[in-house]
Amino acid sequence: MNRNFKDRMAFYFKELFPNLFRMDTWLKTIVNMIMAVIHPLMSVLVLKCILELIKNGRMDVYQLLTVAGIYTLVFIISKSLNLYLEGKIQYIFMLDRNNIMIEMIDKIMTMDFEYFEDSEFELEINQAFMGVAGDNIGYQNILVRTFRLLPNLILIIIFSILLLKESYIVFIVSMVSMLINLFLATKIAEYANKARPAIQDESRKYEKYKEVVEDFKYGKDIRIFSLKNRLLDNIKNFMNRLLDKQHKVDEYRFKISFLENLSIYLGQFVALLVFTYMAVNGQMTIATLIASLTILTILSNIIQAVNQDVTNVYENIQYVILTYDFLDSNLIKSRDGIDYKFQGPIAIKFDRVSFKYPGSDKYVFKDLSFEIDADKNVALVGVNGAGKTTIVKLLVGLYKPTEGTIYLDGINADDLSMEARFRIFSVVFQETEPLALTVAENIVGVENGINRERVKETLEKVGLWKKISSLENGIDQNVLKVIYEDGVILSGGENQKLMIARALYKKDTSVMVMDEPTSALDALAEEKIYKEFDSYMGNKTGIFISHRLASTRFCDEILFLDGGEISAKGSHQELMEKSKEYREMFETQGKYYKEFENESL
């Protein structure tokens, strides 16, 4: 949400401005202020000195060369130091910005999982990231501009005093002009900030579609199903709406800028009349007149620069406020609990569990109850959308039940710490996208301390070793080309095998959950997974989730999920006899399954 002027200024002077005067920046800030003030001030003083010398007839070549030499030397030293110090301060604040960004990324990776599926919260995250999005926006931009702004403010004070010494009228006109400019600058910033959420929303939509057309995964569909024109239409629509909203901001900025320039040049015009009048009436020497007019010109440029910096800083403060608000927000509902370590397989119980996703009034299921005995392999089956994956998310602790209780070996799962909860499970999720790491790092999750022999064993077990060992770097081969040019792109089935290998590598787990782990595998690979399911499970409770009922034959028990409840449970043979829905679903899944049914009968 947008803050008012008072809140923004309070935030700026409390959280941002002090960073210019901390241990590693204060000396650079002070020296830069001195160097940046010296050159414009000397320009005026040297000009007046030369004019006075000429007027008094005392100027010779030696004096001219001396004055010019001193001025040039000071100019070179001050400008060189300005550039050097600005580069150093840029680097310091860039490191700060990157550290803040890392904090945000860490927070996102540790916050409650439910926030990932909240579209409104996604927009909040995008807005929060604007505060650290780059060199020219947010945190770093504000501090670097303030670093440049401080010497300009000092020059305004010095030149204003010099003008006051010559004419209080010119001083008053200059001050009024500057205050008008600062007021108009805040008006521009406020208008831009009000328009910002709508602009960012359109930008987010545009970027999402742009990501689709740039993603190779969608390339085949776009071509085969002639989706190009439809996608282009959406991209154009979002871009046009984005440009329209941005154009309104630019129009407003132009109108206000006209008033800003008008106030500056009217002030200069009044000052010119006053100084000319004073010179004509002998109240001011020609040298003083030229020096005063030079001050007015420099002051006008400084005021315009300050105006731009103040507008920019004021606009960007809101971004950084959102960043800090995000970092201060509590996105973990509860992580405290018992750090209990389970040994071996455990029993699982859902007791009248109801659940609806955040922001939704519709229950995925209501009063769902079932039990899984320790050391049993259970298949949870049902049609697509029945809530099987949601059960997995609740079981492992990614979501909490809206109502009811989940028990793990008789312990209320909510009483466990999240670390203890996550230790229990090895999971192969439905989504099978690897990370841009090496094959070994995708399996182990760390860079060092990899048990290479164990990695090989898991790859052999899932039938992926032949492929990986043929790669140039074996298990050290990079995956994906988004970062590494030599990255290998695995097929969908190979990705699933890699994820199964990762689940098998995880030590000391009590429950193995496989959520549609064979959906991208061919029939032979799928059959191999089925046959070796017991060896995958080891000394664990096994849960196999699928809508393909042929996967049920290797499990001790089948739970059939239908209409948000367990409508039937038992062996395949028992469900074929007593569950009409299960039987009809099984019989529609093709000749292969019918053959298997006949064999079973």
Side-chain angles (χ1 to χ4, degrees), residues 376-590:
K376 293 287 186 179
N377 292 333
V378 174
L380 180 61
V381 299
V383 297
N384 285 337
K388 302 184 296 295
T389 297
T390 301
I391 288 175
V392 174
K393 292 176 181 177
L394 288 167
L395 177 62
V396 301
L398 295 177
Y399 282 97
K400 290 184 179 295
T402 307
E403 300 162 16
T405 308
I406 299 172
Y407 294 97
L408 301 174
D409 244 16
I411 299 174
N412 186 335
D414 287 343
D415 293 338
L416 297 171
S417 69
M418 292 311 298
E419 290 76 13
R421 186 86 170 263
F422 291 152
R423 275 200 306 265
I424 298 170
F425 300 98
S426 233
V427 186
V428 181
F429 288 105
Q430 209 168 342
E431 300 84 5
T432 56
E433 191 68 30
L435 299 171
L437 304 170
T438 67
V439 172
E441 288 167 351
N442 264 284
I443 293 172
V444 182
V446 297
E447 183 177 7
N448 300 312
I450 295 174
N451 186 330
R452 301 177 70 83
E453 189 59 35
R454 193 151 166 259
V455 169
K456 178 184 176 182
E457 289 173 7
T458 59
L459 289 170
E460 287 176 335
K461 187 169 284 189
V462 300
L464 195 56
W465 175 248
K466 184 176 180 181
K467 166 73 179 228
I468 300 303
S469 62
S470 69
L471 300 175
E472 181 180 355
N473 299 313
I475 64 173
D476 298 314
Q477 183 72 41
N478 291 310
V479 179
L480 302 180
K481 293 184 180 295
V482 292
I483 295 178
Y484 307 104
E485 291 184 6
D486 66 339
V488 62
I489 298 178
L490 301 175
S491 68
E494 289 167 341
N495 284 337
Q496 284 193 318
K497 290 179 181 180
L498 186 65
M499 297 303 102
I500 295 172
R502 180 173 66 182
L504 295 177
Y505 187 92
K506 187 177 178 181
K507 282 185 176 182
D508 304 323
T509 56
S510 296
V511 181
M512 172 76 83
V513 182
M514 304 183 80
D515 184 3
E516 301 282 6
T518 63
S519 58
L521 299 181
D522 59 61
L524 293 176
E526 183 180 43
E527 179 69 10
K528 183 177 185 295
I529 295 291
Y530 291 164
K531 286 180 177 179
E532 297 182 358
F533 188 71
D534 281 339
S535 67
Y536 289 167
M537 293 302 106
N539 187 31
K540 299 179 179 67
T541 303
I543 302 175
F544 193 98
I545 296 176
S546 179
H547 67 280
R548 294 155 77 169
L549 301 188
S551 64
T552 62
R553 66 182 185 269
F554 54 82
C555 291
D556 301 314
E557 187 176 46
I558 302 165
L559 303 178
F560 186 65
L561 185 65
D562 183 35
E565 63 179 11
I566 302 298
S567 63
K569 68 176 180 177
S571 66
H572 169 73
Q573 182 65 42
E574 290 171 338
L575 265 57
M576 287 296 292
E577 293 174 356
K578 67 183 183 182
S579 174
K580 177 184 176 183
E581 293 81 6
Y582 179 88
R583 183 172 60 254
E584 288 179 348
M585 185 175 173
F586 185 87
E587 289 174 347
T588 59
Q589 291 195 352

Side-chain angles (χ1 to χ4, degrees), residues 48 62 73-74 122 126 128 174 182 248 252 264 282 285 290 330 410 428 430 436 483 492 502 549 587 590 594:
K48 187 175 181 180
Y62 176 77
L73 183 63
V74 171
E122 181 184 357
N126 290 339
S174 298
L182 290 175
K248 289 178 180 177
Y252 185 83
I264 290 174
T285 65
I290 294 174
N330 181 15
V428 181
Q430 209 168 342
I483 295 178
R502 180 173 66 182
L549 301 188
E587 289 174 347
K594 275 189 170 292

Side-chain angles (χ1 to χ4, degrees), residues 173-224:
V173 169
S174 298
M175 290 300 99
V176 169
S177 173
M178 185 178 68
L179 292 173
I180 290 173
N181 269 262
L182 290 175
F183 172 75
L184 293 174
T186 59
K187 298 299 289 183
I188 292 175
E190 286 173 0
Y191 187 89
N193 274 314
K194 286 180 181 178
R196 174 180 46 79
I199 291 173
Q200 284 186 335
D201 191 41
E202 296 300 337
S203 178
R204 177 180 64 85
K205 294 171 184 175
Y206 164 75
E207 289 296 335
K208 286 292 182 184
Y209 270 96
K210 187 166 169 284
E211 286 174 13
V212 169
V213 300
E214 291 176 348
D215 194 330
F216 294 153
K217 288 189 298 185
Y218 300 100
K220 298 187 292 294
D221 302 280
I222 290 171
R223 287 158 177 79
I224 293 172

Side-chain angles (χ1 to χ4, degrees), residues 247-431:
H247 180 64
K248 289 178 180 177
V249 175
D250 292 338
E251 276 188 331
Y252 185 83
R253 195 185 300 272
F254 172 77
K255 292 174 184 176
I256 297 297
S257 296
F258 175 78
L259 295 176
E260 290 173 340
N261 291 326
L262 182 63
S263 70
I264 290 174
Y265 293 119
L266 281 176
Q268 284 189 317
F269 179 71
V270 171
L272 180 61
L273 290 178
V274 171
F275 284 151
T276 303
Y277 175 82
M278 292 174 66
V280 170
N281 287 277
Q283 299 173 17
M284 179 181 285
T285 65
I286 296 299
T288 303
L289 172 63
I290 294 174
S292 297
L293 293 177
T294 302
I295 288 174
L296 275 174
T297 302
I298 296 174
L299 186 59
S300 172
N301 292 331
I302 290 173
I303 289 174
Q304 286 183 314
V306 167
N307 177 30
Q308 291 175 0
D309 286 337
V310 168
T311 302
N312 192 282
V313 167
Y314 189 72
E315 285 183 21
N316 279 271
I317 287 173
Q318 182 63 27
Y319 297 142
V320 185
I321 288 175
L322 293 173
T323 302
Y324 278 54
D325 284 348
F326 176 77
L327 289 173
D328 291 339
S329 61
N330 181 15
L331 302 178
I332 301 174
K333 291 180 180 177
S334 176
R335 294 294 174 91
D336 295 330
I338 306 167
D339 188 24
Y340 189 83
K341 292 187 178 180
F342 293 88
Q343 299 294 327
I346 63 171
I348 296 166
K349 180 180 178 181
F350 273 53
D351 185 19
R352 300 179 64 83
V353 171
S354 301
F355 180 74
K356 56 185 177 182
Y357 282 97
S360 173
D361 295 327
K362 183 180 179 181
Y363 280 91
V364 180
F365 38 73
K366 186 93 170 158
D367 294 331
L368 177 66
S369 296
F370 65 86
E371 294 184 35
I372 298 175
D373 295 332
D375 203 22
K376 293 287 186 179
N377 292 333
V378 174
L380 180 61
V381 299
V383 297
N384 285 337
K388 302 184 296 295
T389 297
T390 301
I391 288 175
V392 174
K393 292 176 181 177
L394 288 167
L395 177 62
V396 301
L398 295 177
Y399 282 97
K400 290 184 179 295
T402 307
E403 300 162 16
T405 308
I406 299 172
Y407 294 97
L408 301 174
D409 244 16
I411 299 174
N412 186 335
D414 287 343
D415 293 338
L416 297 171
S417 69
M418 292 311 298
E419 290 76 13
R421 186 86 170 263
F422 291 152
R423 275 200 306 265
I424 298 170
F425 300 98
S426 233
V427 186
V428 181
F429 288 105
Q430 209 168 342
E431 300 84 5

